[in-house]
Amino acid sequence: MRKILSSGLRNARIKFRQQDMTHIMENIVYNELRIRGFSVDVGVVYSGELNQNKNSVRVPREIDFLASKGGKKVYIQSAFALPTEEKTLTELKPFSLTGDSFHKIIVRGDIKKRWYDDSGILNIGITDFLLDENVI
């Protein structure tokens, strides 16, 4: 119930102008992290890539949430759906650039059963994430 209320309050505040499920889900994940007592920041990591002129440039990559509580830190991406390999790589790339071993989670709207990928990243459905307070 509290998840629905927090999303409803957000929508009322922005006068119901945003109907994008990706942003709504991100807001629900953020609110849940705050309710669970986490301090939440946006994570930014950089990747070295070649531009059109074949020069090396630093490209910022965003991790949706860096949640901290006590000595615990976890990186979380929120993805309503990962329908293509390209979209999956875009969402997961920032995790590979962190250079540390903090727990990494991708909260998804398109799966029901949780699983770990080959890199140890937990893929979990939004409902499962909201109902399992011990997942982090």
Side-chain angles (χ1 to χ4, degrees):
M1 178 71 147
R2 68 182 180 212
K3 286 91 175 160
I4 295 168
L5 288 175
S6 62
S7 182
L9 292 172
R10 175 196 172 274
N11 284 329
R13 182 174 173 96
I14 64 171
K15 301 188 185 345
F16 299 93
R17 72 177 182 270
Q18 191 174 49
Q19 300 298 316
D20 181 17
M21 282 306 298
T22 302
H23 291 109
I24 291 169
M25 193 172 115
E26 229 176 66
N27 183 256
I28 290 169
V29 171
Y30 170 80
N31 285 331
E32 183 63 20
L33 290 169
R34 296 294 296 146
I35 288 166
R36 292 181 187 181
F38 284 88
S39 120
V40 182
D41 293 304
V42 174
V44 178
V45 291
Y46 294 90
S47 66
E49 299 179 18
L50 298 177
N51 64 12
Q52 295 171 340
N53 299 328
K54 306 288 186 212
N55 295 325
S56 181
V57 293
R58 285 177 39 136
V59 177
R61 303 283 179 175
E62 181 181 287
I63 297 175
D64 293 333
F65 306 110
L66 169 56
S68 306
K69 182 169 151 182
K72 179 185 269 190
K73 288 187 182 182
V74 62
Y75 296 110
I76 300 174
Q77 290 285 66
S78 172
F80 182 68
L82 297 177
T84 65
E85 185 68 25
E86 182 181 357
K87 176 69 173 162
T88 302
L89 291 173
T90 300
E91 288 294 326
L92 295 178
K93 179 148 183 133
F95 284 158
S96 68
L97 300 170
T98 62
D100 59 41
S101 60
F102 292 126
H103 195 53
K104 296 165 179 75
I105 300 172
I106 184 158
V107 180
R108 299 174 52 172
D110 63 345
I111 63 170
K112 302 285 185 228
K113 188 173 180 175
R114 68 175 79 180
W115 53 277
Y116 285 89
D117 68 13
D118 293 339
S119 300
I121 297 168
L122 174 62
N123 286 255
I124 187 169
I126 182 68
T127 303
D128 199 5
F129 175 78
L130 294 173
L131 293 175
D132 185 353
E133 293 191 18
N134 298 315
V135 74
I136 300 176

